[in-house]
Amino acid sequence: LDENREEQSLQAKAKANVRVGSQDECLCGSRILPFGDYVTHLNTTNFDHSVDINKGKVMLTDFYMSWCPHCRRFKAKWSRIAKIVSSLSSNLVVFAVDCVDSLDLCRRFTVRTGPTITAHRIEHTGTMDEIGRNSGDVEYAHVKHWVGEMIKQGISPQTSDTEKVIQCLENDNSTDLSLEAHSTVQDVPVSTKVNDLSVAVFESLINGIFLGEDSIPAKPASTVTPVTHCVERRCALEKWVSILHTTLPGFEGLKAASDYLTQHANKAISRQEWLEVLGNSTQSGIPGNIVFTEPNRGKYSVCAGEAHGFPCGLWQVFHAITVYSADNTTLYNLQGIRQYVRNLFVCRQCQVHFAAMSKDLETSITTRDSGILFLFNAHNSVSSRLAPAYGISVEEAKFPKTSACGACRDGSGHWVDSEIVSYLDKKYRYNSVAS
């Protein structure tokens, strides 16, 4: 399973219920998560008006990235909370903001990871006072308690309807908030995998890079300057681009982007400038002939669909990096992947989980094969952890299936490391010639 596989039955029913504020947002509608009737989507066009017509109320908002796996998992829970809140009280309003389509709005509220939920009191003057925020903890029991606390702090004295909302949230033990099983990614022709690999590489250099920031930060002029969040992000990006162009065949053109970051170390780089750098770096062609420009974002093949997308493609990139690494570069490359996830893959729970899985890299990774096996086990660990949410067993969630690699398990059903390495080596190698 990929971490962002989503409940498809709800998608179909709720698709028509997504409320958008303008025709422009409809152009990106395929990325906006369908929450249903009780959640209104905000964007830069309709935000001020929505605030103006809800003066005196408490505003609950889910800031998410449409590609973020845990943001998708959180959707059903936020929809459930919105139904309870909106049905019982006219003093509470529930919103959602897609930070992919409304990046400026998410910067305005200093959103750095997803999902981030906030509570604001909208004063009668139109000013917004933040009551609190919660980033990353999407367990339903915690979130509904948090919402109840925000209501208590935001509305004083309590009214009969808000008291009813709090009581209903406390008593709600919904069990229908899990995800439904989704088909796994199947083996496809190499050219299709190459297309997905290239799109995922591009998105890895855009998604999350500018969340909470209007530019790639400059490095401090002196090493005496304390290391900050911004510096860590810059260093993580530099290392990630370097690994991509030195490890993956066909992506050598990204050296130009890597050199640009190095040569302009003391300069903050805007989003538009970075897009131009990426576009120029790939004009000569990369695998799949994908040029790094905005129209090519999200154009996946084997990872196509709302339930797959970027995280699915990124796992392919990670596996390809381990396959093309050497014994003496594997640890460095995996450290770069860890640094990328920690700083630039802005799904908070994903960051926490990957940090835990990779905490012993320095003592456990000694060869290329050990790196391949580490990522294989990490990927299956994610699938196993999510299996109950999809209503399937842990064994059903793991890859490869026996039908794909009969030799990958022994007679007792245990993984055979040498066969796993051989299988993954074949699966994630590709023709690097742009054709």
Side-chain angles (χ1 to χ4, degrees):
L1 295 175
D2 298 299
E3 279 209 67
N4 68 333
R5 287 178 185 160
E6 180 57 37
E7 64 271 35
Q8 287 194 319
S9 64
L10 288 179
Q11 289 177 352
K13 290 188 292 183
K15 194 74 150 180
N17 293 328
V18 177
R19 288 184 257 168
V20 296
S22 69
Q23 283 297 109
D24 290 339
E25 191 177 56
C26 291
L27 297 176
C28 299
S30 62
R31 290 203 296 255
I32 295 174
L33 298 186
F35 284 85
D37 284 334
Y38 298 96
V39 179
T40 299
H41 266 91
L42 297 181
N43 56 35
T44 52
T45 302
N46 68 357
F47 180 82
D48 290 336
H49 175 69
S50 297
V51 170
D52 187 60
I53 63 175
N54 286 295
K55 291 176 180 176
K57 299 181 182 181
V58 168
M59 171 182 177
L60 302 167
T61 309
D62 170 26
F63 293 91
Y64 70 90
M65 286 72 64
S66 48
W67 52 261
C68 164
H70 288 283
C71 297
R72 288 185 168 279
R73 293 183 66 202
F74 183 60
K75 185 200 73 175
K77 300 167 188 176
W78 194 243
S79 298
R80 175 64 179 172
I81 287 173
K83 183 175 182 179
I84 293 171
V85 167
S86 301
S87 298
L88 297 176
S89 177
S90 60
N91 293 316
L92 307 167
V93 287
V94 185
F95 297 110
V97 176
D98 180 3
C99 293
V100 174
D101 290 327
S102 300
L103 182 60
D104 289 343
L105 195 54
C106 294
R107 287 190 194 133
R108 176 174 169 180
F109 287 91
T110 61
V111 175
R112 295 188 183 277
T113 60
T116 291
I117 51 178
T118 64
H120 289 83
R121 183 190 300 105
I122 306 176
E123 304 294 353
H124 290 284
T125 59
T127 60
M128 296 176 61
D129 294 332
E130 183 170 319
I131 307 167
R133 66 173 55 206
N134 175 29
S135 299
D137 192 340
V138 295
E139 292 304 317
Y140 187 57
H142 175 85
V143 173
K144 67 178 186 174
H145 175 75
W146 180 88
V147 169
E149 290 301 309
M150 294 302 101
I151 294 172
K152 291 176 184 177
Q153 295 178 39
I155 298 179
S156 181
Q158 290 293 299
T159 61
S160 59
D161 60 345
T162 55
E163 289 177 347
K164 188 179 294 185
V165 169
I166 294 170
Q167 187 64 42
C168 189
L169 286 172
E170 290 177 354
N171 295 335
D172 185 51
N173 295 311
S174 297
T175 58
D176 60 345
L177 302 178
S178 61
L179 309 182
E180 293 182 1
H182 192 280
S183 59
T184 57
V185 176
Q186 303 297 318
D187 282 331
V188 293
V190 171
S191 59
T192 306
K193 291 180 182 178
V194 166
N195 175 82
D196 282 21
L197 190 77
S198 295
V199 173
V201 166
F202 175 38
E203 291 206 299
S204 77
L205 298 170
I206 294 296
N207 289 345
I209 305 297
F210 296 94
L211 186 64
E213 312 286 347
D214 58 5
S215 63
I216 299 170
K219 283 186 174 180
S222 170
T223 56
V224 177
T225 304
V227 175
T228 65
H229 167 74
C230 290
V231 174
E232 289 176 359
R233 290 175 59 250
R234 175 82 179 225
C235 292
L237 181 60
E238 289 183 357
K239 190 169 187 175
W240 178 242
V241 179
S242 175
I243 288 171
L244 292 173
H245 83 76
T246 59
T247 306
L248 296 181
F251 291 91
E252 293 84 357
L254 284 176
K255 185 178 185 303
S258 182
D259 291 343
Y260 190 89
L261 288 171
T262 301
Q263 293 163 7
H264 298 82
N266 62 345
K267 174 187 176 183
I269 302 172
S270 70
R271 187 176 188 275
Q272 184 56 43
E273 184 178 359
W274 181 236
L275 281 171
E276 291 175 3
V277 170
L278 293 178
N280 292 336
S281 299
T282 56
Q283 285 296 336
S284 59
I286 60 172
N289 272 338
I290 301 296
V291 177
F292 285 3
T293 56
E294 284 280 18
N296 284 322
R297 291 183 69 180
K299 287 191 174 181
Y300 292 100
S301 297
V302 66
C303 286
E306 296 178 18
H308 292 78
F310 176 49
C312 169
L314 192 61
W315 273 115
Q316 291 192 32
V317 176
F318 289 169
H319 284 296
I321 286 173
T322 61
V323 163
Y324 282 105
S325 295
D327 285 344
N328 63 345
T329 61
T330 295
L331 176 58
Y332 176 86
N333 288 344
L334 284 173
Q335 289 171 327
I337 290 174
R338 180 175 62 188
Q339 193 173 356
Y340 168 82
V341 172
R342 181 174 66 236
N343 291 283
L344 302 173
F345 190 74
V346 290
C347 164
R348 180 57 185 158
Q349 286 197 319
C350 302
Q351 292 173 335
V352 171
H353 292 148
F354 199 85
M357 291 188 295
S358 59
K359 63 182 177 63
D360 296 323
L361 284 182
E362 286 71 19
T363 57
S364 62
I365 305 301
T366 56
T367 63
R368 165 186 172 272
D369 288 2
S370 64
I372 291 175
L373 290 170
F374 159 77
L375 201 67
F376 164 75
N377 288 320
H379 197 164
N380 268 332
S381 175
V382 169
S383 296
S384 298
R385 177 165 44 79
L386 292 179
Y390 288 96
I392 62 176
S393 70
V394 169
E395 283 304 309
E396 289 177 300
K398 291 180 179 179
F399 87 103
K401 304 297 184 188
T402 303
S403 57
C405 181
C408 285
R409 294 177 185 259
D410 61 21
S412 301
H414 299 122
W415 297 120
V416 179
D417 287 352
S418 60
E419 295 295 339
I420 290 293
V421 169
S422 177
Y423 169 80
L424 294 176
D425 190 71
K426 294 175 183 176
K427 182 177 178 67
Y428 291 104
R429 287 190 180 274
Y430 55 91
N431 180 2
S432 65
V433 178
S435 58

